[in-house]
Amino acid sequence: MAANTLVKPWDITICRIGKLIIACWTKPIEGVLPAPLKTALGIESWTLPPGVLILKGYGEVDTAVSTIGPLPSGYTVTMDPNNYAAKGTFFCHSWRFCGPVSDARISTQTVMTVHHD
């Protein structure tokens, strides 16, 4: 399975209006799990059929800055986000499912800085 898949513009659409994010995809999305999850879940990959995800942010903005590194390459990554808690709904026709998404977070803006130490 390829690590990256090129999709056409009409295969996936993501739209943000304020704190509302709508994602719609028309082709299955395939993913590979990292080693610790493969063992815990007993599966190596997963496929998400075409569907729609709607996330609605609410509450006050969380601007907690996070830093990763220094990495073995010597780089440090700092992320300065504008995050909100979110409630969502996932629609999947082939699963005949329409239901809530719990514990979601959205980012309306993230500034990422990478520098070498």
Side-chain angles (χ1 to χ4, degrees):
M1 182 180 314
N4 296 310
T5 302
L6 182 62
V7 296
K8 294 181 174 49
W10 52 86
D11 291 340
I12 187 166
T13 302
I14 301 172
C15 176
R16 181 179 71 85
I17 304 167
K19 296 185 212 177
L20 176 70
I21 296 176
I22 302 169
C24 176
W25 57 99
T26 60
K27 303 282 185 190
I29 298 172
E30 297 181 14
V32 177
L33 297 171
L37 285 176
K38 286 180 188 179
T39 304
L41 299 175
I43 59 173
E44 298 216 1
S45 63
W46 51 266
T47 301
L48 187 62
V52 176
L53 178 64
I54 300 173
L55 296 172
K56 174 70 174 144
Y58 65 89
E60 298 298 318
V61 66
D62 174 8
T63 58
V65 175
S66 61
T67 301
I68 302 168
L71 301 170
S73 62
Y75 285 92
T76 299
V77 179
T78 302
M79 289 167 279
D80 187 5
N82 285 344
N83 290 331
Y84 292 90
K87 293 184 180 184
T89 304
F90 173 61
F91 302 89
C92 181
H93 179 71
S94 66
W95 288 351
R96 294 187 172 104
F97 179 82
C98 172
V101 175
S102 61
D103 287 337
R105 305 228 12 111
I106 63 168
S107 180
T108 58
Q109 176 183 13
T110 299
V111 176
M112 185 166 61
T113 307
V114 179
H115 69 278
H116 194 273
D117 293 333

PDB file of all heavy atoms in Angstrom, residues 73-112:
ATOM      1  N   SER A  73      17.367  14.732  14.087  1.00  0.00           N
ATOM      2  CA  SER A  73      17.934  15.541  13.001  1.00  0.00           C
ATOM      3  C   SER A  73      18.485  16.866  13.499  1.00  0.00           C
ATOM      4  O   SER A  73      19.159  17.585  12.776  1.00  0.00           O
ATOM      5  CB  SER A  73      16.854  15.821  11.957  1.00  0.00           C
ATOM      6  OG  SER A  73      15.810  16.580  12.559  1.00  0.00           O
ATOM      7  N   GLY A  74      18.167  17.221  14.776  1.00  0.00           N
ATOM      8  CA  GLY A  74      18.596  18.492  15.326  1.00  0.00           C
ATOM      9  C   GLY A  74      17.531  19.572  15.218  1.00  0.00           C
ATOM     10  O   GLY A  74      17.686  20.668  15.739  1.00  0.00           O
ATOM     11  N   TYR A  75      16.422  19.266  14.549  1.00  0.00           N
ATOM     12  CA  TYR A  75      15.344  20.240  14.393  1.00  0.00           C
ATOM     13  C   TYR A  75      14.378  20.193  15.566  1.00  0.00           C
ATOM     14  O   TYR A  75      14.179  19.150  16.184  1.00  0.00           O
ATOM     15  CB  TYR A  75      14.576  19.994  13.096  1.00  0.00           C
ATOM     16  CG  TYR A  75      15.335  20.430  11.865  1.00  0.00           C
ATOM     17  CD1 TYR A  75      16.141  19.535  11.180  1.00  0.00           C
ATOM     18  CD2 TYR A  75      15.241  21.734  11.409  1.00  0.00           C
ATOM     19  CE1 TYR A  75      16.840  19.932  10.049  1.00  0.00           C
ATOM     20  CE2 TYR A  75      15.942  22.147  10.286  1.00  0.00           C
ATOM     21  CZ  TYR A  75      16.737  21.242   9.615  1.00  0.00           C
ATOM     22  OH  TYR A  75      17.427  21.641   8.509  1.00  0.00           O
ATOM     23  N   THR A  76      13.790  21.348  15.870  1.00  0.00           N
ATOM     24  CA  THR A  76      12.737  21.460  16.872  1.00  0.00           C
ATOM     25  C   THR A  76      11.511  22.045  16.173  1.00  0.00           C
ATOM     26  O   THR A  76      11.626  22.978  15.383  1.00  0.00           O
ATOM     27  CB  THR A  76      13.169  22.384  18.025  1.00  0.00           C
ATOM     28  OG1 THR A  76      14.326  21.820  18.644  1.00  0.00           O
ATOM     29  CG2 THR A  76      12.070  22.532  19.061  1.00  0.00           C
ATOM     30  N   VAL A  77      10.336  21.475  16.463  1.00  0.00           N
ATOM     31  CA  VAL A  77       9.085  21.928  15.854  1.00  0.00           C
ATOM     32  C   VAL A  77       8.223  22.548  16.951  1.00  0.00           C
ATOM     33  O   VAL A  77       7.987  21.923  17.986  1.00  0.00           O
ATOM     34  CB  VAL A  77       8.327  20.757  15.194  1.00  0.00           C
ATOM     35  CG1 VAL A  77       7.021  21.242  14.582  1.00  0.00           C
ATOM     36  CG2 VAL A  77       9.198  20.062  14.161  1.00  0.00           C
ATOM     37  N   THR A  78       7.783  23.781  16.727  1.00  0.00           N
ATOM     38  CA  THR A  78       6.897  24.469  17.664  1.00  0.00           C
ATOM     39  C   THR A  78       5.585  24.752  16.954  1.00  0.00           C
ATOM     40  O   THR A  78       5.580  25.290  15.844  1.00  0.00           O
ATOM     41  CB  THR A  78       7.533  25.787  18.152  1.00  0.00           C
ATOM     42  OG1 THR A  78       8.789  25.485  18.753  1.00  0.00           O
ATOM     43  CG2 THR A  78       6.640  26.478  19.160  1.00  0.00           C
ATOM     44  N   MET A  79       4.465  24.392  17.602  1.00  0.00           N
ATOM     45  CA  MET A  79       3.140  24.624  17.028  1.00  0.00           C
ATOM     46  C   MET A  79       2.366  25.589  17.916  1.00  0.00           C
ATOM     47  O   MET A  79       2.291  25.392  19.128  1.00  0.00           O
ATOM     48  CB  MET A  79       2.400  23.311  16.861  1.00  0.00           C
ATOM     49  CG  MET A  79       2.994  22.461  15.755  1.00  0.00           C
ATOM     50  SD  MET A  79       2.417  20.773  15.747  1.00  0.00           S
ATOM     51  CE  MET A  79       3.445  20.071  17.012  1.00  0.00           C
ATOM     52  N   ASP A  80       1.837  26.629  17.297  1.00  0.00           N
ATOM     53  CA  ASP A  80       1.080  27.676  17.987  1.00  0.00           C
ATOM     54  C   ASP A  80      -0.337  27.684  17.399  1.00  0.00           C
ATOM     55  O   ASP A  80      -0.606  28.375  16.425  1.00  0.00           O
ATOM     56  CB  ASP A  80       1.773  29.021  17.767  1.00  0.00           C
ATOM     57  CG  ASP A  80       1.168  30.139  18.577  1.00  0.00           C
ATOM     58  OD1 ASP A  80       0.262  29.879  19.384  1.00  0.00           O
ATOM     59  OD2 ASP A  80       1.599  31.284  18.384  1.00  0.00           O
ATOM     60  N   PRO A  81      -1.253  26.872  17.977  1.00  0.00           N
ATOM     61  CA  PRO A  81      -2.560  26.677  17.352  1.00  0.00           C
ATOM     62  C   PRO A  81      -3.669  27.562  17.921  1.00  0.00           C
ATOM     63  O   PRO A  81      -3.530  28.151  18.989  1.00  0.00           O
ATOM     64  CB  PRO A  81      -2.857  25.221  17.703  1.00  0.00           C
ATOM     65  CG  PRO A  81      -2.263  25.085  19.081  1.00  0.00           C
ATOM     66  CD  PRO A  81      -1.023  25.960  19.070  1.00  0.00           C
ATOM     67  N   ASN A  82      -4.757  27.629  17.202  1.00  0.00           N
ATOM     68  CA  ASN A  82      -6.040  28.126  17.687  1.00  0.00           C
ATOM     69  C   ASN A  82      -6.995  26.942  17.613  1.00  0.00           C
ATOM     70  O   ASN A  82      -7.580  26.673  16.569  1.00  0.00           O
ATOM     71  CB  ASN A  82      -6.571  29.273  16.821  1.00  0.00           C
ATOM     72  CG  ASN A  82      -5.842  30.567  17.063  1.00  0.00           C
ATOM     73  OD1 ASN A  82      -5.139  30.715  18.063  1.00  0.00           O
ATOM     74  ND2 ASN A  82      -5.983  31.507  16.171  1.00  0.00           N
ATOM     75  N   ASN A  83      -7.121  26.209  18.718  1.00  0.00           N
ATOM     76  CA  ASN A  83      -7.945  24.998  18.762  1.00  0.00           C
ATOM     77  C   ASN A  83      -9.250  25.247  19.490  1.00  0.00           C
ATOM     78  O   ASN A  83      -9.310  26.055  20.419  1.00  0.00           O
ATOM     79  CB  ASN A  83      -7.210  23.867  19.473  1.00  0.00           C
ATOM     80  CG  ASN A  83      -6.047  23.343  18.665  1.00  0.00           C
ATOM     81  OD1 ASN A  83      -6.051  23.393  17.452  1.00  0.00           O
ATOM     82  ND2 ASN A  83      -5.037  22.844  19.348  1.00  0.00           N
ATOM     83  N   TYR A  84     -10.266  24.490  19.092  1.00  0.00           N
ATOM     84  CA  TYR A  84     -11.566  24.516  19.757  1.00  0.00           C
ATOM     85  C   TYR A  84     -12.029  23.085  19.991  1.00  0.00           C
ATOM     86  O   TYR A  84     -11.739  22.196  19.183  1.00  0.00           O
ATOM     87  CB  TYR A  84     -12.624  25.205  18.880  1.00  0.00           C
ATOM     88  CG  TYR A  84     -12.409  26.671  18.705  1.00  0.00           C
ATOM     89  CD1 TYR A  84     -11.650  27.162  17.652  1.00  0.00           C
ATOM     90  CD2 TYR A  84     -12.963  27.582  19.600  1.00  0.00           C
ATOM     91  CE1 TYR A  84     -11.437  28.514  17.484  1.00  0.00           C
ATOM     92  CE2 TYR A  84     -12.758  28.940  19.439  1.00  0.00           C
ATOM     93  CZ  TYR A  84     -12.000  29.404  18.382  1.00  0.00           C
ATOM     94  OH  TYR A  84     -11.796  30.746  18.227  1.00  0.00           O
ATOM     95  N   ALA A  85     -12.760  22.864  21.075  1.00  0.00           N
ATOM     96  CA  ALA A  85     -13.463  21.601  21.242  1.00  0.00           C
ATOM     97  C   ALA A  85     -14.520  21.558  20.149  1.00  0.00           C
ATOM     98  O   ALA A  85     -14.986  22.603  19.682  1.00  0.00           O
ATOM     99  CB  ALA A  85     -14.099  21.533  22.624  1.00  0.00           C
ATOM    100  N   ALA A  86     -14.905  20.364  19.720  1.00  0.00           N
ATOM    101  CA  ALA A  86     -15.881  20.262  18.634  1.00  0.00           C
ATOM    102  C   ALA A  86     -16.811  19.078  18.839  1.00  0.00           C
ATOM    103  O   ALA A  86     -16.444  18.084  19.460  1.00  0.00           O
ATOM    104  CB  ALA A  86     -15.167  20.137  17.294  1.00  0.00           C
ATOM    105  N   LYS A  87     -18.002  19.221  18.320  1.00  0.00           N
ATOM    106  CA  LYS A  87     -18.964  18.120  18.229  1.00  0.00           C
ATOM    107  C   LYS A  87     -19.118  17.829  16.756  1.00  0.00           C
ATOM    108  O   LYS A  87     -18.984  18.719  15.915  1.00  0.00           O
ATOM    109  CB  LYS A  87     -20.301  18.516  18.841  1.00  0.00           C
ATOM    110  CG  LYS A  87     -20.227  18.712  20.331  1.00  0.00           C
ATOM    111  CD  LYS A  87     -21.565  18.999  20.923  1.00  0.00           C
ATOM    112  CE  LYS A  87     -21.392  19.172  22.429  1.00  0.00           C
ATOM    113  NZ  LYS A  87     -22.646  19.361  23.105  1.00  0.00           N
ATOM    114  N   GLY A  88     -19.377  16.581  16.435  1.00  0.00           N
ATOM    115  CA  GLY A  88     -19.455  16.262  15.026  1.00  0.00           C
ATOM    116  C   GLY A  88     -20.433  15.167  14.700  1.00  0.00           C
ATOM    117  O   GLY A  88     -20.971  14.498  15.580  1.00  0.00           O
ATOM    118  N   THR A  89     -20.626  14.994  13.405  1.00  0.00           N
ATOM    119  CA  THR A  89     -21.474  13.931  12.877  1.00  0.00           C
ATOM    120  C   THR A  89     -20.752  13.311  11.692  1.00  0.00           C
ATOM    121  O   THR A  89     -20.188  14.014  10.852  1.00  0.00           O
ATOM    122  CB  THR A  89     -22.841  14.491  12.421  1.00  0.00           C
ATOM    123  OG1 THR A  89     -23.448  15.165  13.528  1.00  0.00           O
ATOM    124  CG2 THR A  89     -23.755  13.377  11.959  1.00  0.00           C
ATOM    125  N   PHE A  90     -20.765  11.989  11.645  1.00  0.00           N
ATOM    126  CA  PHE A  90     -20.146  11.227  10.566  1.00  0.00           C
ATOM    127  C   PHE A  90     -21.252  10.517   9.788  1.00  0.00           C
ATOM    128  O   PHE A  90     -22.117   9.873  10.387  1.00  0.00           O
ATOM    129  CB  PHE A  90     -19.153  10.207  11.139  1.00  0.00           C
ATOM    130  CG  PHE A  90     -18.575   9.265  10.128  1.00  0.00           C
ATOM    131  CD1 PHE A  90     -17.821   9.730   9.067  1.00  0.00           C
ATOM    132  CD2 PHE A  90     -18.787   7.900  10.236  1.00  0.00           C
ATOM    133  CE1 PHE A  90     -17.286   8.863   8.130  1.00  0.00           C
ATOM    134  CE2 PHE A  90     -18.248   7.023   9.313  1.00  0.00           C
ATOM    135  CZ  PHE A  90     -17.499   7.504   8.258  1.00  0.00           C
ATOM    136  N   PHE A  91     -21.240  10.661   8.459  1.00  0.00           N
ATOM    137  CA  PHE A  91     -22.216  10.025   7.586  1.00  0.00           C
ATOM    138  C   PHE A  91     -21.487   9.039   6.685  1.00  0.00           C
ATOM    139  O   PHE A  91     -20.511   9.410   6.022  1.00  0.00           O
ATOM    140  CB  PHE A  91     -22.905  11.053   6.674  1.00  0.00           C
ATOM    141  CG  PHE A  91     -23.610  12.152   7.398  1.00  0.00           C
ATOM    142  CD1 PHE A  91     -22.941  13.317   7.743  1.00  0.00           C
ATOM    143  CD2 PHE A  91     -24.955  12.036   7.718  1.00  0.00           C
ATOM    144  CE1 PHE A  91     -23.584  14.340   8.399  1.00  0.00           C
ATOM    145  CE2 PHE A  91     -25.613  13.067   8.375  1.00  0.00           C
ATOM    146  CZ  PHE A  91     -24.930  14.215   8.722  1.00  0.00           C
ATOM    147  N   CYS A  92     -21.959   7.793   6.649  1.00  0.00           N
ATOM    148  CA  CYS A  92     -21.359   6.783   5.771  1.00  0.00           C
ATOM    149  C   CYS A  92     -22.476   5.946   5.161  1.00  0.00           C
ATOM    150  O   CYS A  92     -23.105   5.131   5.849  1.00  0.00           O
ATOM    151  CB  CYS A  92     -20.381   5.901   6.536  1.00  0.00           C
ATOM    152  SG  CYS A  92     -19.590   4.656   5.492  1.00  0.00           S
ATOM    153  N   HIS A  93     -22.742   6.165   3.880  1.00  0.00           N
ATOM    154  CA  HIS A  93     -23.841   5.489   3.199  1.00  0.00           C
ATOM    155  C   HIS A  93     -23.650   3.968   3.171  1.00  0.00           C
ATOM    156  O   HIS A  93     -24.576   3.218   3.454  1.00  0.00           O
ATOM    157  CB  HIS A  93     -24.007   6.042   1.785  1.00  0.00           C
ATOM    158  CG  HIS A  93     -25.102   5.388   1.010  1.00  0.00           C
ATOM    159  ND1 HIS A  93     -26.432   5.595   1.305  1.00  0.00           N
ATOM    160  CD2 HIS A  93     -25.073   4.513  -0.031  1.00  0.00           C
ATOM    161  CE1 HIS A  93     -27.180   4.890   0.473  1.00  0.00           C
ATOM    162  NE2 HIS A  93     -26.370   4.227  -0.345  1.00  0.00           N
ATOM    163  N   SER A  94     -22.431   3.498   2.831  1.00  0.00           N
ATOM    164  CA  SER A  94     -22.230   2.053   2.698  1.00  0.00           C
ATOM    165  C   SER A  94     -22.345   1.319   4.036  1.00  0.00           C
ATOM    166  O   SER A  94     -22.671   0.139   4.063  1.00  0.00           O
ATOM    167  CB  SER A  94     -20.898   1.736   2.019  1.00  0.00           C
ATOM    168  OG  SER A  94     -19.822   2.132   2.834  1.00  0.00           O
ATOM    169  N   TRP A  95     -22.071   2.004   5.149  1.00  0.00           N
ATOM    170  CA  TRP A  95     -22.254   1.400   6.471  1.00  0.00           C
ATOM    171  C   TRP A  95     -23.671   1.617   6.994  1.00  0.00           C
ATOM    172  O   TRP A  95     -24.012   1.143   8.056  1.00  0.00           O
ATOM    173  CB  TRP A  95     -21.273   1.997   7.469  1.00  0.00           C
ATOM    174  CG  TRP A  95     -19.850   1.584   7.294  1.00  0.00           C
ATOM    175  CD1 TRP A  95     -19.362   0.628   6.466  1.00  0.00           C
ATOM    176  CD2 TRP A  95     -18.732   2.133   7.975  1.00  0.00           C
ATOM    177  NE1 TRP A  95     -18.002   0.546   6.589  1.00  0.00           N
ATOM    178  CE2 TRP A  95     -17.584   1.469   7.520  1.00  0.00           C
ATOM    179  CE3 TRP A  95     -18.578   3.133   8.923  1.00  0.00           C
ATOM    180  CZ2 TRP A  95     -16.305   1.756   7.974  1.00  0.00           C
ATOM    181  CZ3 TRP A  95     -17.305   3.415   9.372  1.00  0.00           C
ATOM    182  CH2 TRP A  95     -16.182   2.732   8.906  1.00  0.00           C
ATOM    183  N   ARG A  96     -24.460   2.404   6.249  1.00  0.00           N
ATOM    184  CA  ARG A  96     -25.797   2.811   6.700  1.00  0.00           C
ATOM    185  C   ARG A  96     -25.701   3.423   8.097  1.00  0.00           C
ATOM    186  O   ARG A  96     -26.435   3.073   9.007  1.00  0.00           O
ATOM    187  CB  ARG A  96     -26.758   1.628   6.684  1.00  0.00           C
ATOM    188  CG  ARG A  96     -27.034   1.120   5.306  1.00  0.00           C
ATOM    189  CD  ARG A  96     -28.125   0.065   5.306  1.00  0.00           C
ATOM    190  NE  ARG A  96     -28.498  -0.267   3.964  1.00  0.00           N
ATOM    191  CZ  ARG A  96     -28.136  -1.375   3.346  1.00  0.00           C
ATOM    192  NH1 ARG A  96     -27.378  -2.261   3.958  1.00  0.00           N
ATOM    193  NH2 ARG A  96     -28.526  -1.605   2.121  1.00  0.00           N
ATOM    194  N   PHE A  97     -24.755   4.373   8.211  1.00  0.00           N
ATOM    195  CA  PHE A  97     -24.471   4.979   9.516  1.00  0.00           C
ATOM    196  C   PHE A  97     -24.531   6.499   9.425  1.00  0.00           C
ATOM    197  O   PHE A  97     -24.019   7.104   8.497  1.00  0.00           O
ATOM    198  CB  PHE A  97     -23.080   4.568  10.013  1.00  0.00           C
ATOM    199  CG  PHE A  97     -22.717   5.171  11.331  1.00  0.00           C
ATOM    200  CD1 PHE A  97     -23.157   4.603  12.507  1.00  0.00           C
ATOM    201  CD2 PHE A  97     -21.957   6.331  11.392  1.00  0.00           C
ATOM    202  CE1 PHE A  97     -22.834   5.173  13.734  1.00  0.00           C
ATOM    203  CE2 PHE A  97     -21.634   6.906  12.608  1.00  0.00           C
ATOM    204  CZ  PHE A  97     -22.071   6.320  13.779  1.00  0.00           C
ATOM    205  N   CYS A  98     -25.152   7.078  10.419  1.00  0.00           N
ATOM    206  CA  CYS A  98     -25.139   8.524  10.621  1.00  0.00           C
ATOM    207  C   CYS A  98     -25.131   8.707  12.130  1.00  0.00           C
ATOM    208  O   CYS A  98     -26.093   8.336  12.807  1.00  0.00           O
ATOM    209  CB  CYS A  98     -26.376   9.174  10.004  1.00  0.00           C
ATOM    210  SG  CYS A  98     -26.526  10.916  10.405  1.00  0.00           S
ATOM    211  N   GLY A  99     -24.024   9.213  12.664  1.00  0.00           N
ATOM    212  CA  GLY A  99     -23.959   9.306  14.110  1.00  0.00           C
ATOM    213  C   GLY A  99     -22.948  10.304  14.599  1.00  0.00           C
ATOM    214  O   GLY A  99     -22.190  10.896  13.827  1.00  0.00           O
ATOM    215  N   PRO A 100     -22.943  10.473  15.916  1.00  0.00           N
ATOM    216  CA  PRO A 100     -22.090  11.491  16.526  1.00  0.00           C
ATOM    217  C   PRO A 100     -20.619  11.100  16.559  1.00  0.00           C
ATOM    218  O   PRO A 100     -20.269   9.932  16.531  1.00  0.00           O
ATOM    219  CB  PRO A 100     -22.646  11.593  17.947  1.00  0.00           C
ATOM    220  CG  PRO A 100     -23.213  10.237  18.217  1.00  0.00           C
ATOM    221  CD  PRO A 100     -23.742   9.753  16.899  1.00  0.00           C
ATOM    222  N   VAL A 101     -19.777  12.128  16.624  1.00  0.00           N
ATOM    223  CA  VAL A 101     -18.336  11.989  16.811  1.00  0.00           C
ATOM    224  C   VAL A 101     -18.039  12.595  18.171  1.00  0.00           C
ATOM    225  O   VAL A 101     -18.466  13.706  18.466  1.00  0.00           O
ATOM    226  CB  VAL A 101     -17.559  12.753  15.716  1.00  0.00           C
ATOM    227  CG1 VAL A 101     -16.071  12.711  15.981  1.00  0.00           C
ATOM    228  CG2 VAL A 101     -17.896  12.196  14.346  1.00  0.00           C
ATOM    229  N   SER A 102     -17.339  11.869  19.017  1.00  0.00           N
ATOM    230  CA  SER A 102     -17.063  12.393  20.357  1.00  0.00           C
ATOM    231  C   SER A 102     -15.612  12.838  20.484  1.00  0.00           C
ATOM    232  O   SER A 102     -14.739  12.369  19.749  1.00  0.00           O
ATOM    233  CB  SER A 102     -17.372  11.338  21.422  1.00  0.00           C
ATOM    234  OG  SER A 102     -16.555  10.208  21.222  1.00  0.00           O
ATOM    235  N   ASP A 103     -15.350  13.740  21.409  1.00  0.00           N
ATOM    236  CA  ASP A 103     -14.005  14.230  21.726  1.00  0.00           C
ATOM    237  C   ASP A 103     -13.236  14.735  20.509  1.00  0.00           C
ATOM    238  O   ASP A 103     -12.078  14.406  20.312  1.00  0.00           O
ATOM    239  CB  ASP A 103     -13.178  13.150  22.424  1.00  0.00           C
ATOM    240  CG  ASP A 103     -13.621  12.918  23.847  1.00  0.00           C
ATOM    241  OD1 ASP A 103     -14.238  13.832  24.425  1.00  0.00           O
ATOM    242  OD2 ASP A 103     -13.352  11.838  24.382  1.00  0.00           O
ATOM    243  N   ALA A 104     -13.886  15.519  19.690  1.00  0.00           N
ATOM    244  CA  ALA A 104     -13.208  16.074  18.522  1.00  0.00           C
ATOM    245  C   ALA A 104     -12.583  17.414  18.866  1.00  0.00           C
ATOM    246  O   ALA A 104     -12.994  18.089  19.808  1.00  0.00           O
ATOM    247  CB  ALA A 104     -14.204  16.231  17.370  1.00  0.00           C
ATOM    248  N   ARG A 105     -11.569  17.798  18.101  1.00  0.00           N
ATOM    249  CA  ARG A 105     -10.932  19.117  18.213  1.00  0.00           C
ATOM    250  C   ARG A 105     -10.721  19.630  16.800  1.00  0.00           C
ATOM    251  O   ARG A 105     -10.419  18.857  15.903  1.00  0.00           O
ATOM    252  CB  ARG A 105      -9.594  19.034  18.933  1.00  0.00           C
ATOM    253  CG  ARG A 105      -9.738  18.393  20.276  1.00  0.00           C
ATOM    254  CD  ARG A 105      -9.122  19.005  21.474  1.00  0.00           C
ATOM    255  NE  ARG A 105      -8.598  20.300  21.521  1.00  0.00           N
ATOM    256  CZ  ARG A 105      -9.144  21.302  22.216  1.00  0.00           C
ATOM    257  NH1 ARG A 105     -10.274  21.129  22.825  1.00  0.00           N
ATOM    258  NH2 ARG A 105      -8.553  22.467  22.303  1.00  0.00           N
ATOM    259  N   ILE A 106     -10.882  20.919  16.619  1.00  0.00           N
ATOM    260  CA  ILE A 106     -10.590  21.529  15.329  1.00  0.00           C
ATOM    261  C   ILE A 106      -9.569  22.630  15.533  1.00  0.00           C
ATOM    262  O   ILE A 106      -9.444  23.194  16.616  1.00  0.00           O
ATOM    263  CB  ILE A 106     -11.846  22.089  14.629  1.00  0.00           C
ATOM    264  CG1 ILE A 106     -12.468  23.224  15.451  1.00  0.00           C
ATOM    265  CG2 ILE A 106     -12.854  20.999  14.345  1.00  0.00           C
ATOM    266  CD1 ILE A 106     -13.512  24.008  14.703  1.00  0.00           C
ATOM    267  N   SER A 107      -8.843  22.915  14.492  1.00  0.00           N
ATOM    268  CA  SER A 107      -7.880  24.007  14.514  1.00  0.00           C
ATOM    269  C   SER A 107      -8.254  24.984  13.413  1.00  0.00           C
ATOM    270  O   SER A 107      -8.344  24.601  12.255  1.00  0.00           O
ATOM    271  CB  SER A 107      -6.464  23.480  14.295  1.00  0.00           C
ATOM    272  OG  SER A 107      -5.541  24.542  14.313  1.00  0.00           O
ATOM    273  N   THR A 108      -8.517  26.232  13.794  1.00  0.00           N
ATOM    274  CA  THR A 108      -8.864  27.231  12.788  1.00  0.00           C
ATOM    275  C   THR A 108      -7.613  27.917  12.256  1.00  0.00           C
ATOM    276  O   THR A 108      -7.659  28.563  11.226  1.00  0.00           O
ATOM    277  CB  THR A 108      -9.823  28.289  13.355  1.00  0.00           C
ATOM    278  OG1 THR A 108      -9.223  28.911  14.490  1.00  0.00           O
ATOM    279  CG2 THR A 108     -11.139  27.647  13.745  1.00  0.00           C
ATOM    280  N   GLN A 109      -6.502  27.783  12.977  1.00  0.00           N
ATOM    281  CA  GLN A 109      -5.230  28.331  12.506  1.00  0.00           C
ATOM    282  C   GLN A 109      -4.117  27.701  13.330  1.00  0.00           C
ATOM    283  O   GLN A 109      -4.209  27.623  14.547  1.00  0.00           O
ATOM    284  CB  GLN A 109      -5.184  29.843  12.684  1.00  0.00           C
ATOM    285  CG  GLN A 109      -3.859  30.454  12.297  1.00  0.00           C
ATOM    286  CD  GLN A 109      -3.813  31.959  12.564  1.00  0.00           C
ATOM    287  OE1 GLN A 109      -4.670  32.493  13.238  1.00  0.00           O
ATOM    288  NE2 GLN A 109      -2.820  32.607  12.037  1.00  0.00           N
ATOM    289  N   THR A 110      -3.074  27.245  12.675  1.00  0.00           N
ATOM    290  CA  THR A 110      -1.903  26.732  13.371  1.00  0.00           C
ATOM    291  C   THR A 110      -0.664  27.287  12.683  1.00  0.00           C
ATOM    292  O   THR A 110      -0.504  27.145  11.476  1.00  0.00           O
ATOM    293  CB  THR A 110      -1.851  25.193  13.366  1.00  0.00           C
ATOM    294  OG1 THR A 110      -2.996  24.690  14.028  1.00  0.00           O
ATOM    295  CG2 THR A 110      -0.604  24.680  14.066  1.00  0.00           C
ATOM    296  N   VAL A 111       0.177  27.917  13.468  1.00  0.00           N
ATOM    297  CA  VAL A 111       1.457  28.390  12.960  1.00  0.00           C
ATOM    298  C   VAL A 111       2.508  27.397  13.437  1.00  0.00           C
ATOM    299  O   VAL A 111       2.635  27.158  14.627  1.00  0.00           O
ATOM    300  CB  VAL A 111       1.777  29.813  13.480  1.00  0.00           C
ATOM    301  CG1 VAL A 111       3.155  30.244  13.004  1.00  0.00           C
ATOM    302  CG2 VAL A 111       0.704  30.781  13.036  1.00  0.00           C
ATOM    303  N   MET A 112       3.233  26.789  12.488  1.00  0.00           N
ATOM    304  CA  MET A 112       4.244  25.811  12.834  1.00  0.00           C
ATOM    305  C   MET A 112       5.603  26.386  12.466  1.00  0.00           C
ATOM    306  O   MET A 112       5.812  26.827  11.335  1.00  0.00           O
ATOM    307  CB  MET A 112       4.004  24.493  12.109  1.00  0.00           C
ATOM    308  CG  MET A 112       4.964  23.415  12.529  1.00  0.00           C
ATOM    309  SD  MET A 112       4.481  21.747  11.998  1.00  0.00           S
ATOM    310  CE  MET A 112       4.468  21.886  10.247  1.00  0.00           C
TER     311      MET A 112
END
